[in-house]
Amino acid sequence: MLLWLQRLLEKKVIFITGTDEHGEKIATSAEASGRNPKEHCDVISSSYKMLWADLDIEYDKFIRTTDHKHEAVVNEFYSRVLNSGDIYRADYEGLYCVSCEEYKDEKELAENNSCPVHLKPCVARKEDNYFFALSKYQHKLEELLARNPDFVRPSHRLNEVQGWIKSGLRDFSISRASVEWGIPVPNDTKQTIYVWFDALLGYISALLDDGEQANLQQAIDRGWPAALHLIGKDILRFHAVYWPAMLMSAGISVPDAVFGHGFLTKDGMKMGKSLGNTLEPKDLVERFGADAVRYFFLREVEFGNDGDYSEERFINIVNAHLANTIGNLLNRTLGLLKKNCKSTLPFDSIAAVDGVPVRENVENLVDKAKHHYENLLLSSACESVLEIGNLGNLYIDEQAPWSCFKKGGESTEKAAKDLVIILETMRIIAIALSPITPSLSLRIYTQLGFTEDQFRVLRWDDTKWGGLKAGQVMMEPKPVFARIETEMEVEAQGSSKAAKGGKKKAQSKGLVEA
């Protein structure tokens, strides 16, 4: 979504994702599955790539921390920090959460010394490890946040980070003597590098091309610092405290911003396998399609906050916004154009809107959507685009072109112009909503007589009014987004058919494919 948006705004962008594959947690999971760690990681990373494809998520680089280029970058980075005098050896004793791969302060723990995130008891450990002198960077981190309060977003996440730093930073262990599955410490191969000190470097090592000789500075020169780290709120401390301090130690620029997104609940309850209420993204996509899934979560959950999933609300929102407000408006307008104008535009969209205030209203909403996108206010961006659809529906209902066509004469010309105005509005919606629903936007755009190649090279400036030209031929009207039918509706339809003597048995289905 962010990649698509930045390219619409004509910015050069590299979107990186991937899998961090070292550490005790991974080794334990691999053993439980009957595979060695590398085989286990191969399966997991492959499943992530397939899920991103299912969700229409495009990326430029997929980094795996088991890649050889990554290990070379980590070793070079470790040497830089060591040479800066920020790594030393000491014993450490504390309570360790295997799932977090982190030692915990007792004051952070829940009852029975349980991790507040994973709700599992932490394990008492004592090890001879290498440490990073995080405390040395207390004042530098305070200065960073004072100088650039947008470094951590949204603002309530910044408050969390400031609280952690203000309470006093402690040096943290960056090696493990008891974990074999990891990158060996360069100056002590009996220990492996702590998973977070390793994994965070993936943002830099990913900038290298596959097969080329790994070099830290070369990777940095390819596009560092990052403009944005988009992360889950549970790993905020690693990205907003540990990571910038590590980079400062190595003489590398810190990223521009870290954005911590929230968690999801289901029907108001925390999700968990033990509760049997987990949401599987792949299942949602298979039932409802990627556009519906992307739209619901980005529209209904303000980016950065926690949100809740309810299937009833999911279906109601998607049907109301995508099927009715947007899909139905396009379908009935193209139907009228086919019936009265042989699917051919009789006017340019600029000529059609002359003297009509719709254009100014649409352009104002487009500007609002752009502002919201740029500030990662994705729910508000969706709302602005939906308001364009509401304007279109209100306009067509008020002007009633179907009645004007019946009157003939001058009313026919006005009705034809009204159809062009609505279709230009739909063209703008397709572009403005494309970061959220790329496949739906493509279907809208091609129905307006454009090609997929034309859609792929669109830029935000193309949302300016005036893209439709006289003589342009529209495609045959076809629903671009069908309503999601609930099981109850399908059963009711089946009962109705049976009552009329129908022999077919109704089957439950999540989405009638458009």
Side-chain angles (χ1 to χ4, degrees):
M1 182 278 300
L2 294 175
L3 175 66
W4 192 289
L5 169 63
Q6 295 301 323
R7 287 182 177 164
L8 275 180
L9 297 174
E10 299 187 76
K11 295 180 181 179
K12 184 179 180 181
V13 60
I14 301 174
F15 177 40
I16 294 170
T17 186
T19 47
D20 55 286
E21 303 184 356
H22 290 128
E24 182 178 357
K25 178 172 60 175
I26 300 295
T28 302
S29 298
E31 185 178 1
S33 66
R35 296 187 288 255
N36 67 46
K38 183 61 168 65
E39 292 170 342
H40 178 71
C41 292
D42 289 344
V43 172
I44 298 300
S45 63
S46 177
S47 67
Y48 271 110
K49 289 181 178 180
M50 289 189 289
L51 179 60
W52 293 165
D54 290 339
L55 285 167
D56 269 346
I57 295 175
E58 298 179 0
Y59 53 84
D60 296 299
K61 302 277 190 176
F62 191 99
I63 183 65
R64 298 180 59 186
T65 59
T66 50
D67 291 345
H68 292 301
K69 66 179 180 182
H70 176 75
E71 181 172 346
V73 166
V74 171
N75 285 337
E76 196 173 341
F77 182 88
Y78 184 97
S79 296
R80 279 201 190 189
V81 177
L82 180 65
N83 291 336
S84 71
D86 290 337
I87 294 178
Y88 63 91
R89 190 167 185 166
D91 288 336
Y92 190 87
E93 185 173 5
L95 294 169
Y96 190 76
C97 174
V98 176
S99 297
C100 288
E101 298 277 14
E102 181 186 22
Y103 282 101
K104 299 286 186 180
D105 289 334
E106 288 191 39
K107 61 184 179 182
E108 296 178 327
L109 300 178
E111 190 177 353
N112 297 322
N113 286 335
S114 294
C115 168
V117 177
H118 298 96
L119 303 180
K120 297 178 182 178
C122 293
V123 182
R125 288 198 175 164
K126 182 177 180 179
E127 280 192 347
D128 173 21
N129 294 151
Y130 291 93
F131 283 74
F132 172 68
L134 179 65
S135 58
K136 177 179 172 181
Y137 293 89
Q138 169 109 16
H139 295 305
K140 289 186 178 181
L141 290 173
E142 289 173 341
E143 290 171 0
L144 170 65
L145 298 182
R147 185 173 66 251
N148 180 16
D150 286 336
F151 178 71
V152 179
R153 299 168 60 192
S155 58
H156 56 276
R157 303 275 180 246
L158 172 62
N159 294 337
E160 288 182 59
V161 174
Q162 288 175 322
W164 292 330
I165 296 174
K166 186 177 180 180
S167 65
L169 296 180
R170 298 193 305 170
D171 299 350
F172 69 96
S173 167
I174 60 169
S175 73
R176 296 291 181 269
S178 59
V179 179
E180 295 182 4
W181 179 241
I183 298 174
V185 172
N187 59 330
D188 186 350
T189 56
K190 292 181 179 179
Q191 298 205 38
T192 55
I193 294 176
Y194 172 47
V195 60
W196 278 106
F197 197 88
D198 151 15
L200 288 162
L201 268 297
Y203 298 119
I204 295 178
S205 64
L207 294 168
L208 295 167
D209 293 330
D210 292 335
E212 71 173 311
Q213 186 173 358
N215 177 277
L216 175 58
Q217 190 57 50
Q218 186 168 309
I220 293 168
D221 293 341
R222 291 283 176 82
W224 190 262
L228 174 69
H229 282 324
L230 182 61
I231 61 164
K233 66 177 184 178
D234 57 325
I235 52 176
L236 182 63
R237 189 195 303 261
F238 299 107
H239 285 79
V241 180
Y242 293 10
W243 180 224
M246 290 161 51
L247 289 168
M248 290 175 185
S249 175
I252 301 172
S253 299
V254 302
D256 294 346
V258 176
F259 192 102
H261 64 74
F263 287 165
L264 286 174
T265 55
K266 184 179 180 184
D267 299 318
M269 297 176 61
K270 183 176 180 178
M271 287 186 280
K273 291 183 179 179
S274 60
L275 297 174
N277 67 340
T278 55
L279 275 176
E280 291 295 338
K282 187 174 181 64
D283 293 343
L284 284 178
V285 172
E286 287 177 350
R287 292 181 62 199
F288 304 123
D291 285 319
V293 174
R294 290 168 62 112
Y295 181 83
F296 175 79
F297 288 112
L298 294 174
R299 166 63 179 77
E300 285 303 290
V301 181
E302 187 61 65
F303 210 43
N305 294 340
D306 293 342
D308 186 67
Y309 171 84
S310 155
E311 184 161 306
E312 180 181 5
R313 182 158 181 76
F314 180 100
I315 292 173
N316 289 340
I317 289 292
V318 169
N319 280 343
H321 296 186
L322 301 187
N324 297 344
T325 299
I326 293 174
N328 188 51
L329 177 61
L330 175 65
N331 197 56
R332 63 175 174 156
T333 307
L334 287 177
L336 286 168
L337 189 76
K338 177 183 178 183
K339 180 179 179 180
N340 298 283
C341 306
K342 297 182 180 178
S343 295
T344 303
L345 298 183
F347 300 96
D348 290 350
S349 52
I350 290 181
V353 83
D354 187 36
V356 180
V358 169
R359 174 179 178 176
E360 182 179 352
N361 294 335
V362 169
E363 288 177 340
N364 287 338
L365 287 168
V366 168
D367 288 342
K368 284 184 178 180
K370 180 183 179 184
H371 172 78
H372 293 321
Y373 275 133
E374 290 178 323
N375 288 280
L376 297 180
L377 300 171
L378 305 183
S379 177
S380 298
C382 289
E383 185 64 29
S384 295
V385 179
L386 187 70
E387 276 301 305
I388 300 174
N390 289 333
L391 275 179
N393 279 286
L394 180 63
Y395 184 80
I396 198 171
D397 289 341
E398 289 178 340
Q399 303 305 315
W402 49 88
S403 296
C404 293
F405 278 123
K406 290 179 181 178
K407 292 179 183 177
E410 292 182 1
S411 295
T412 298
E413 180 177 315
K414 179 186 181 306
K417 287 183 176 179
D418 287 339
L419 295 186
V420 175
I421 289 172
I422 297 300
L423 293 173
E424 175 70 1
T425 299
M426 291 305 310
R427 186 191 71 82
I428 292 170
I429 287 173
I431 302 171
L433 201 60
S434 62
I436 308 295
T437 58
S439 296
L440 172 60
S441 293
L442 172 61
R443 293 195 294 273
I444 294 171
Y445 213 71
T446 52
Q447 285 214 7
L448 296 175
F450 298 99
T451 65
E452 182 173 347
D453 287 342
Q454 288 174 302
F455 177 75
R456 297 297 177 191
V457 296
L458 287 170
R459 293 296 178 260
W460 190 265
D461 281 349
D462 293 309
T463 57
K464 292 179 179 177
W465 193 280
L468 295 180
K469 307 300 180 185
Q472 190 163 331
V473 179
M474 305 288 101
M475 298 291 288
E476 188 78 12
K478 181 181 177 182
V480 290
F481 194 95
R483 287 185 74 257
I484 299 173
E485 295 184 337
T486 65
E487 292 185 13
M488 188 177 296
E489 288 173 328
V490 173
E491 289 172 1
Q493 291 172 10
S495 298
S496 176
K497 289 180 181 179
K500 294 178 181 179
K503 296 181 179 179
K504 291 185 178 180
K505 183 179 180 181
Q507 294 182 348
S508 172
K509 53 186 176 181
L511 171 67
V512 181
E513 291 292 342

